[in-house]
């Protein structure tokens, strides 16, 4: 079982807003570790989408935003577009696992 | 251009050994952590471990410690993932990825194209 918990799937119509949650614990998100988010389009390698909780790499549209509070984090996508249909993963680190990285189980976003 | 280029797909039998590679280019290979991520068929991403090429400092996820070996040859800017005895459950796509910065808790930024490993008798 993944250390970080994400909903298996979310969906929304074009133009709508969706939120993907990522729930951890006091040894990962609730500790000093930041949360990063990745987008994986079908058949491709993951792509860094949000890093250090809420920062966007160059080239990532501002429709994507992230936040962290307590032992959870969230990815918000506004103005949904068809090309946003993908799998989304949160990632952090965990002190109970010797500081190794951990991913969420992933969330499949369907654009209706 | 910063890039990671991985070796090609492999088909192996259970019990065989395998080493797959990931060649970095366009940046100072020695001074960025580089890691491996597993994705089993139809499943999510799993953090396996990372290595700092300059001194070969290596960190493993407890889930993978003892099952794989991560190494790097900085003279040819290449990182490796090695199995001494493959199992059918090792069938997966393996991605290498460079961390964005120089600390062990940085996110993965530059990704290789993935190497499909199939283990079947």
């Amino acid at each position: 079982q993944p250390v970080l918990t994400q909903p298996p799937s979310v969906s929304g119509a074009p133009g709508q807003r969706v939120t993907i949650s990522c729930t951890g614990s006091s040894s990962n998100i609730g500790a000093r570790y930041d949360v990063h988010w990745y987008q994986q389009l079908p058949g491709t390698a993951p792509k860094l989408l949000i890093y250090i909780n809420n920062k966007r790499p160059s080239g990532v549209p501002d429709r994507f935003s992230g936040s962290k509070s307590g032992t959870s984090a969230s990815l918000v996508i506004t103005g949904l577009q068809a090309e946003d249909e993908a799998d989304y993963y949160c990632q952090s680190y965990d002190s109970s696992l010797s500081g190794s990285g951990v991913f969420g189980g992933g969330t499949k976003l369907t654009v209706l | 251009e910063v890039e990671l280029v991985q070796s090609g797909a492999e088909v192996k039998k259970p019990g065989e050994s395998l080493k797959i590679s990931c060649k970095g280019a366009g940046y100072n290979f020695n001074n960025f952590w580089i890691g491996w991520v597993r994705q089993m068929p139809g499943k999510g991403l799993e953090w396996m471990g990372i290595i700092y090429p300059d001194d070969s400092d290596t960190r493993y996820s407890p889930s993978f410690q003892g099952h794989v070996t991560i190494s790097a040859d900085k003279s040819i800017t290449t990182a490796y993932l090695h199995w001494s005895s493959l199992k059918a459950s090792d069938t997966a796509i393996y991605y290498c990825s460079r961390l964005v910065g120089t600390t062990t808790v940085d996110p993965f930024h530059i990704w290789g194209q993935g190497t499909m490993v199939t283990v079947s008798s």
Side-chain angles (χ1 to χ4, degrees):
Chain A
Q1 291 286 53
V3 172
L4 305 178
T5 301
Q6 298 180 234
S9 63
V10 298
S11 63
Q16 284 191 333
R17 165 191 166 122
V18 296
T19 299
I20 298 173
S21 61
C22 175
T23 303
S25 68
S26 58
S27 63
N28 43 67
I29 298 176
R32 59 185 172 94
Y33 297 114
D34 295 313
V35 178
H36 317 300
W37 291 90
Y38 302 87
Q39 177 192 59
Q40 187 176 32
L41 296 169
T44 69
K47 167 190 169 184
L48 181 62
L49 194 65
I50 296 287
Y51 67 104
I52 310 179
N53 308 317
N54 55 20
K55 302 187 188 321
R56 283 187 307 275
S58 174
V60 173
D62 59 6
R63 302 186 295 104
F64 295 90
S65 63
S67 64
K68 171 189 163 184
S69 178
T71 58
S72 296
S74 294
L75 172 70
V76 175
I77 310 171
T78 59
L80 263 184
Q81 300 180 4
E83 58 262 36
D84 298 334
E85 188 159 294
D87 294 321
Y88 293 84
Y89 296 90
C90 60
Q91 186 239 317
S92 187
Y93 289 82
D94 196 298
S95 60
S96 70
L97 299 174
S98 304
S100 80
V102 290
F103 281 101
T107 299
K108 169 67 177 177
L109 168 62
T110 300
V111 180
L112 302 171
Chain B
E1 180 192 3
V2 177
E3 64 175 355
L4 297 173
V5 179
Q6 297 185 227
S7 50
E10 301 275 2
V11 179
K12 292 289 194 179
K13 291 181 167 48
E16 292 186 331
S17 64
L18 174 65
K19 180 183 277 191
I20 61 176
S21 66
C22 169
K23 182 171 178 59
Y27 71 98
N28 187 343
F29 182 81
N30 292 0
N31 296 128
F32 286 87
W33 291 86
I34 190 165
W36 291 92
V37 174
R38 182 175 79 175
Q39 187 165 39
M40 299 176 75
K43 302 297 184 182
L45 306 176
E46 298 175 89
W47 197 99
M48 300 178 71
I50 55 175
I51 187 166
Y52 193 71
D54 196 43
D55 61 6
S56 291
D57 184 7
T58 309
R59 315 290 173 87
Y60 292 95
S61 163
S63 298
F64 292 93
Q65 178 92 47
H67 297 289
V68 296
T69 301
I70 295 171
S71 61
D73 184 338
K74 58 186 181 180
S75 70
I76 55 172
T77 65
T78 300
Y80 300 97
L81 183 63
H82 174 250
W83 294 261
S84 59
S85 180
L86 286 160
K87 304 175 183 178
S89 57
D90 293 317
T91 295
I93 297 173
Y94 293 88
Y95 293 102
C96 67
S97 182
R98 195 204 82 179
L99 273 61
V100 71
T102 57
T103 77
T104 59
V105 295
D106 281 332
F108 292 117
H109 184 210
I110 307 299
W111 292 76
Q113 81 276 22
T115 296
M116 181 68 215
V117 174
T118 303
V119 184
S120 174
S121 55

